[in-house]
Amino acid sequence: MATLGAHKKHKVTIVGSGNWGSTIAKVVGENTAANPDLFEKEVQMWVYEEQVEGKKLTELINEKHENVKYLPGIELPHHVVANPSIEDAVKGSTILIFNLPHQFIKGLCKQIQGVILPFARGISCIKGVDVRESEIRLFSEVIGEQLGIYCGALSGANIANEVAQEKWCETTIAYDPPPVDSQAPTPARTPPNRSPAASQLDLTKLDQHKDVSGKPSKVKLTPLASEYAAIDHVTMKILFHRPYFHVRVVSDVAGVSLSGALKNIVALAAGWVDGLGWGDNAKAAIMRVGLLEMVEFGKRFFGKTIQTKTFTEESAGVADLITTCSGGRNHRCAKMSVVEGKSISEIEDRELNGQKLQGVSTAEEVYTFLRSQGLEQDFPLFTAVYKILKGEEKYENIPQLIEKDTVSTDADEK
Amino acid sequence: MATLGAHKKHKVTIVGSGNWGSTIAKVVGENTAANPDLFEKEVQMWVYEEQVEGKKLTELINEKHENVKYLPGIELPHHVVANPSIEDAVKGSTILIFNLPHQFIKGLCKQIQGVILPFARGISCIKGVDVRESEIRLFSEVIGEQLGIYCGALSGANIANEVAQEKWCETTIAYDPPPVDSQAPTPARTPPNRSPAASQLDLTKLDQHKDVSGKPSKVKLTPLASEYAAIDHVTMKILFHRPYFHVRVVSDVAGVSLSGALKNIVALAAGWVDGLGWGDNAKAAIMRVGLLEMVEFGKRFFGKTIQTKTFTEESAGVADLITTCSGGRNHRCAKMSVVEGKSISEIEDRELNGQKLQGVSTAEEVYTFLRSQGLEQDFPLFTAVYKILKGEEKYENIPQLIEKDTVSTDADEK
C-alpha cells in the first residue's frame, strides 16, 4: 500500500498553443513555479508545428519565450517548453490540459492513446459541446472516452488577451472524478494550509499496477498512481488560480460545458435586440430568458449532474453570458446585421476572415436536436433564433415568440 | 356567504405621478380598458400638485393626457385621471400602486389611514429598502404596517422612458398575501382562460364586515371584500402584463425589494472596474460576485422567505443588475470618477443636478448595518465599496479584497 509520505511531483502538459492555450500555459507555468512541492516546474506545451518568419514556431517560442504568432507581446514563463511532438509532450504527465480547436480533438486523442499515463487526469478548455442530430456529448466526455481517463472542464468569462495581460477575471473549473477506491485509507479533508504530502491519495487506477497479490508490482517501470498526491479540487485550484485569474472549482462538468456553448445562441438574440435600439432593458431580458433556457436544456438532457447554480452563479454561466452579450463577436455581428439590414452570413463573410460564428452553428445543432425530441416549443428563444437565422421569423417578433402564457407564473406553485 | 357569481370590479389607484409613476399609469390604464370584466376602466392617479407653465399639473394632465413635466411626449390613456387629493384618489380602490419617492411614503400613508378600503391590496414600485443602523425594512412592509393592508412589490430591469416608449422589457411582481380564510370555499386554481367570476374569493378581511351572526352585515355601507374577485397572482399579471412589458409574478417580496437596493452598490464597483479599463471579463466578475453577496445578504437577514432564484433568475434580480451595471448612473458616475481622477462626490455635484447616487447611500447604510452585526468580512465586495468610497481602500485592490481563501471552493461539499 502506498504510504502517505512524500509524493512524486505532478507533471503538466498543455495540449494546444493558440491564443487561449498559450494564455493558459502562462497561468499554469506561473503556478508550477510557485508550488514546487506539488508540481514539476517545467510545463510541456504541444505546438502544432508551422513556419513563422522562416523559422519553426516551436523554436521561436523556446528562444523568445513568446508565442509570436498567437499571443504576441506576452512573455511566457521560461520553463514553458514548446514541443512539436504530441507523444513526447504528454509522456509521463499526470495532468493534461486540452486547449485546441475542437475539430482536432479526435485525431489528436488517437495519437496519444496508450502513450499517456493511464491514471492521468484531463481538463478540457474547449468551449462548447459536440451536438449531433439526436445526441449531445461534452468535449470532456469525448476526450475521456477516447483516452480512458477522467476529464473535467474549464470555462469562464475569459477573453484570452485580457487574461494574458493579467487583467483580473474569474473562471470555473468543473471537476468530478470518480470516488477514491473504497479499500484506500479514509480520505481526510485537506486542511486550508495543506501540504501536498498530507493530501488524500487517488487510488482509482491502482488496480492496473498491482500484481495478483494486490501489492504494487515491482516489474512495472511506469509510475503508479499511488506515488502521486491526489488530483482533487484543491490541486486544480492551486494549478490555475492566480491573483488576476480567480478560480472556483465545482463538480458540474456538463453545466460548465453547456454554458460555454449555449450562451452564443443567446448572444445572437441580444445582438439583434441591440441592433433594433430597444435599449438595455430589452437586452437584459433576452439574457435572462436565455439563461433560463440554458438551465432548462441542461436539466432536460444532462439531468443527473446538472446544477442550476452552475448557470446562474458561476463565471462559466452568468458571467460568461454577460461578457459574450457585451463584446463578443456573435453579439457584434448580429447587431451589425440589423443595423445594416444584411444577413448574418454577409456580415460573417466581411468581418470574420473566413471564420464562422459559433452561435449560428450551435443554434442549428441545438434546434435540430430539439426537433428530434419534439421539444422546440419548450425552448422558445433558442427556436426563435434558429427561425430568424433561417428567415422564417423576424427579430422584431422575439417578444411575442418568447412570451409565456398570460397566466403561467409561479402562481401555480401557490 | 358570498356567492361565486358576478363580482364588483376592482378600482385601481396609482399613488404617485413621476416618470415611473406615470409610466405605470399608462401600463395599468391600458389593462383596465382591456379587461372590463375585472377592472373599472378609470384609473385614479394621485399627483402632487404644482404649477407648470402657469397651470396646475393635474389640469394639464387631464387636458392633454400627458404628464408634460415628468413624462413628456407620451400619451396616457384618457381614462387615467390626475387627482390632486390623495384621500379622494384612493377612496374605494381595491388596488393601490405606490410609486413615489420613498421619503414621502410615511407622510402620505398617514393621510390615507382609515380612508382606504380595509381589504385593499398594495403594490410598491419603490426600489430599495429602508435601512437603519441595525434594522432593515422593505418599503412594502412600511406601507403595509402603516395602512394595515398587505403590500407586495414590483421591480425589474425597467428604465421608465424605455417602458413608456413601449420598448419591450420584463418585470417582476412579488406578491404573497396571507392565505384565504379557512372557512371559505376550497379555492380552486383558476384556469388559464379564467373569467373573473370564476376565480377564488379573497375572504381574509371579511370578518371586519360580518355581524355577530357571521353573516355579512346589512348596515355597512362600505363594500365587502367578498363582493370582489380575489386579488391573486393572476389578477396582478392581468393588471400589469403588456405585449411590451412582460410580467412574472413570484412570492418573494423581500428578494425583489432587496435586489433593487443592493444592485446599486455593485454598480459602483462595476463602474470603477470599467474606469480602470479592466475589460468585460472583470466587469462580469464583479457582477457575479455582487449577485452572490446580494443573495447572501437576503438569506442572512430575510431568510424565511428569500429565494436564491429571485436574485439569479428574475428580472428584478440578474436582469436589473445587468441593466444597472450597463447604463445606470451609479455605474456611469463611478466610471467617470476613475477616468477623471475625481471623487464620487465631485462627480455627483457636477452630473446630478443636486441629486445623490443611491449606491453611495445604500453602501453606507448596508456597511453600517453589517458592522452592527460584526459581519463585514462575509460581504467583502459590499465592504470594499464602502471603504473605497471613504478613501480607506483603492479600487485597484478590489480583486485582492474579494479574493476567497485559496482552497475554499465547493470542494468542501465533496
Side-chain angles (χ1 to χ4, degrees):
Chain A
M1 209 69 201
T3 68
L4 282 163
H7 291 290
K8 287 188 78 163
K9 296 176 185 183
H10 288 294
K11 183 184 165 193
V12 183
T13 296
I14 318 286
V15 180
S17 56
N19 188 236
W20 187 218
S22 301
T23 301
I24 284 294
K26 174 181 184 297
V27 166
V28 163
E30 288 167 4
N31 280 329
T32 58
N35 295 278
D37 291 344
L38 193 52
F39 302 109
E40 284 186 21
K41 186 174 175 184
E42 183 181 295
V43 171
Q44 287 281 317
M45 176 170 77
W46 173 69
V47 176
Y48 178 80
E49 191 68 287
E50 55 186 303
Q51 295 291 313
V52 178
E53 303 163 12
K55 277 191 147 184
K56 287 180 177 170
L57 181 55
T58 51
E59 288 174 8
L60 279 170
I61 293 172
N62 290 334
E63 268 169 34
K64 300 192 173 186
H65 307 296
E66 177 187 344
N67 187 333
V68 292
K69 180 153 187 189
Y70 296 107
L71 191 62
I74 301 295
E75 186 179 7
L76 300 175
H78 294 202
H79 52 279
V80 168
V81 177
N83 190 336
S85 162
I86 180 66
E87 294 87 349
D88 190 56
V90 300
K91 201 167 281 175
S93 284
T94 46
I95 301 177
L96 304 171
I97 301 165
F98 294 86
N99 201 327
L100 71 168
H102 61 83
Q103 61 268 33
F104 303 128
I105 292 174
K106 291 179 189 172
L108 209 100
C109 284
K110 264 196 193 135
Q111 280 188 264
I112 57 175
Q113 280 168 352
V115 178
I116 61 168
L117 291 179
F119 52 85
R121 291 282 162 89
I123 289 288
S124 162
C125 300
I126 301 147
K127 291 212 176 185
V129 286
D130 191 26
V131 186
R132 309 280 154 182
E133 180 124 3
S134 59
E135 189 196 10
I136 300 183
R137 292 205 305 167
L138 315 175
F139 286 123
S140 53
E141 288 176 336
V142 173
I143 293 167
E145 284 166 24
Q146 279 205 268
L147 296 179
I149 62 173
Y150 175 80
C151 187
L154 180 151
S155 185
N158 304 142
I159 297 164
N161 285 327
E162 292 184 7
V163 178
Q165 291 166 48
E166 305 192 2
K167 289 182 175 175
W168 170 69
C169 69
E170 298 184 311
T171 202
T172 312
I173 292 173
Y175 187 70
D176 189 27
V180 173
D181 187 320
S182 60
Q183 297 304 307
T186 308
R189 272 312 305 152
T190 39
N193 295 316
R194 92 200 257 284
S195 79
S199 66
Q200 71 186 70
L201 294 174
D202 178 1
L203 304 172
T204 51
K205 297 277 183 171
L206 206 58
D207 289 348
Q208 302 174 45
H209 301 275
K210 283 176 184 169
D211 65 17
V212 285
S213 72
K215 288 177 186 164
S217 158
K218 286 175 185 169
V219 296
K220 286 273 182 195
L221 292 176
T222 49
L224 302 174
S226 55
E227 296 177 70
Y228 294 89
I231 305 171
D232 58 10
H233 277 196
V234 177
T235 315
M236 286 300 172
K237 185 146 185 174
I238 294 172
L239 183 59
F240 287 96
H241 188 86
R242 297 296 300 157
Y244 59 88
F245 191 62
H246 286 194
V247 168
R248 279 169 59 94
V249 190
V250 302
S251 301
D252 179 6
V253 179
V256 164
S257 302
L258 276 175
S259 290
L262 300 175
K263 63 165 192 179
N264 290 318
I265 305 178
V266 184
L268 292 174
W272 289 327
V273 162
D274 253 1
L276 287 165
W278 284 4
D280 288 333
N281 293 349
K283 186 168 155 182
I286 288 287
M287 291 161 73
R288 191 196 71 79
V289 171
L291 187 60
L292 294 192
E293 287 196 16
M294 288 161 61
V295 173
E296 182 64 21
F297 193 90
K299 290 200 159 173
R300 290 278 184 105
F301 309 117
F302 293 84
K304 267 180 280 184
T305 56
I306 285 276
Q307 294 202 299
T308 300
K309 67 181 181 180
T310 307
F311 297 88
T312 59
E313 298 183 17
E314 296 301 336
S315 179
V318 61
D320 194 19
L321 179 67
I322 290 170
T323 304
T324 304
C325 293
S326 303
R329 64 189 198 174
N330 288 282
H331 168 267
R332 187 166 49 85
C333 289
K335 183 175 176 180
M336 279 180 190
S337 86
V338 175
V339 172
E340 302 179 24
K342 294 194 168 117
S343 73
I344 282 272
S345 54
E346 283 176 276
I347 301 289
E348 275 179 323
D349 291 345
R350 188 187 70 199
E351 295 287 322
L352 297 184
N353 199 22
Q355 291 191 290
K356 292 286 177 187
L357 290 174
Q358 217 196 320
V360 174
S361 54
T362 307
E364 286 173 4
E365 289 164 353
V366 163
Y367 179 79
T368 306
F369 173 78
L370 288 173
R371 197 179 44 199
S372 80
Q373 312 289 314
L375 292 173
E376 307 99 298
Q377 73 289 349
D378 290 358
F379 297 85
L381 182 64
F382 290 172
T383 300
V385 170
Y386 171 81
K387 292 193 167 171
I388 292 164
L389 286 171
K390 291 291 162 199
E392 296 168 19
E393 271 295 350
K394 294 178 178 174
Y395 26 68
E396 292 88 346
N397 293 339
I398 289 177
Q400 296 94 287
L401 293 170
I402 67 176
E403 188 170 12
K404 302 274 185 184
D405 179 337
T406 308
V407 289
S408 140
T409 70
D410 88 339
D412 295 339
E413 295 163 20
K414 282 187 62 82
Chain B
M1 209 64 198
T3 68
L4 283 163
H7 291 290
K8 287 187 77 163
K9 297 175 184 184
H10 288 294
K11 184 185 164 191
V12 183
T13 296
I14 318 286
V15 179
S17 55
N19 187 237
W20 187 218
S22 300
T23 301
I24 284 293
K26 173 181 184 296
V27 166
V28 163
E30 288 167 3
N31 280 329
T32 59
N35 295 278
D37 291 344
L38 193 52
F39 302 109
E40 284 187 22
K41 186 174 176 185
E42 184 181 294
V43 172
Q44 287 282 316
M45 175 168 77
W46 173 69
V47 176
Y48 178 79
E49 191 69 286
E50 55 186 302
Q51 295 290 315
V52 177
E53 302 163 11
K55 278 190 146 186
K56 289 181 176 171
L57 181 55
T58 50
E59 288 174 8
L60 278 169
I61 292 172
N62 290 332
E63 268 169 34
K64 300 193 173 185
H65 306 295
E66 176 187 345
N67 187 334
V68 291
K69 180 153 186 189
Y70 296 107
L71 192 62
I74 300 294
E75 186 178 8
L76 299 175
H78 294 201
H79 53 278
V80 169
V81 177
N83 190 335
S85 162
I86 181 64
E87 294 86 350
D88 191 54
V90 300
K91 200 167 281 175
S93 283
T94 46
I95 301 176
L96 304 170
I97 301 165
F98 295 86
N99 201 325
L100 72 168
H102 60 83
Q103 61 268 32
F104 302 128
I105 292 174
K106 291 178 188 172
L108 209 101
C109 284
K110 263 196 193 133
Q111 279 188 266
I112 56 175
Q113 281 167 353
V115 178
I116 61 167
L117 291 178
F119 52 85
R121 292 281 161 92
I123 289 289
S124 162
C125 302
I126 301 148
K127 290 212 177 186
V129 286
D130 192 25
V131 186
R132 308 282 154 182
E133 180 123 3
S134 60
E135 189 196 11
I136 300 182
R137 291 206 304 167
L138 314 176
F139 285 122
S140 53
E141 288 177 336
V142 174
I143 293 167
E145 284 165 25
Q146 280 206 267
L147 296 179
I149 62 172
Y150 175 80
C151 187
L154 179 151
S155 185
N158 305 141
I159 297 164
N161 286 328
E162 292 184 7
V163 178
Q165 291 166 49
E166 304 192 2
K167 288 180 176 176
W168 171 69
C169 69
E170 298 184 311
T171 202
T172 312
I173 292 173
Y175 187 71
D176 189 28
V180 173
D181 188 320
S182 59
Q183 297 305 307
T186 308
R189 275 309 306 150
T190 40
N193 295 315
R194 93 200 256 284
S195 79
S199 67
Q200 71 187 70
L201 293 175
D202 177 1
L203 304 172
T204 52
K205 297 278 183 172
L206 207 58
D207 289 347
Q208 301 174 43
H209 299 274
K210 285 176 183 170
D211 64 18
V212 284
S213 72
K215 289 176 185 163
S217 157
K218 285 175 183 167
V219 296
K220 288 272 184 195
L221 291 176
T222 50
L224 301 173
S226 56
E227 296 177 70
Y228 294 90
I231 304 172
D232 58 11
H233 278 196
V234 178
T235 316
M236 286 300 173
K237 186 146 186 175
I238 294 171
L239 184 59
F240 286 96
H241 188 87
R242 297 295 301 157
Y244 60 88
F245 191 63
H246 286 192
V247 168
R248 280 167 60 92
V249 190
V250 302
S251 301
D252 179 6
V253 179
V256 164
S257 303
L258 276 175
S259 290
L262 300 175
K263 62 165 192 179
N264 290 318
I265 306 178
V266 184
L268 291 175
W272 288 327
V273 163
D274 253 1
L276 288 165
W278 284 3
D280 288 333
N281 293 350
K283 186 169 157 182
I286 289 288
M287 291 160 73
R288 191 196 72 79
V289 172
L291 186 61
L292 294 192
E293 286 196 17
M294 289 162 62
V295 172
E296 183 64 21
F297 193 90
K299 290 199 160 175
R300 291 277 185 105
F301 309 118
F302 293 85
K304 266 179 281 185
T305 56
I306 285 276
Q307 295 202 298
T308 300
K309 67 181 182 180
T310 307
F311 298 87
T312 58
E313 299 182 16
E314 296 301 337
S315 179
V318 60
D320 195 18
L321 179 67
I322 291 170
T323 303
T324 304
C325 292
S326 304
R329 65 190 198 172
N330 288 282
H331 169 266
R332 187 166 50 85
C333 289
K335 182 175 176 179
M336 278 180 191
S337 85
V338 176
V339 171
E340 302 179 24
K342 295 196 167 113
S343 73
I344 281 273
S345 54
E346 283 176 275
I347 302 287
E348 275 180 322
D349 290 346
R350 189 187 71 200
E351 295 287 323
L352 298 184
N353 200 20
Q355 292 190 289
K356 291 285 176 188
L357 290 175
Q358 218 195 319
V360 174
S361 54
T362 306
E364 287 174 2
E365 289 164 352
V366 163
Y367 179 79
T368 307
F369 173 78
L370 287 174
R371 197 178 46 200
S372 79
Q373 312 290 314
L375 291 172
E376 307 99 299
Q377 73 288 350
D378 290 359
F379 297 85
L381 182 64
F382 291 172
T383 299
V385 169
Y386 172 81
K387 291 193 167 171
I388 292 165
L389 286 171
K390 291 291 162 198
E392 297 168 18
E393 271 295 350
K394 294 178 178 173
Y395 26 69
E396 291 88 347
N397 293 339
I398 289 178
Q400 295 95 287
L401 294 169
I402 67 176
E403 187 171 11
K404 301 275 184 183
D405 179 336
T406 308
V407 290
S408 139
T409 69
D410 87 340
D412 295 335
E413 295 163 21
K414 283 187 63 77

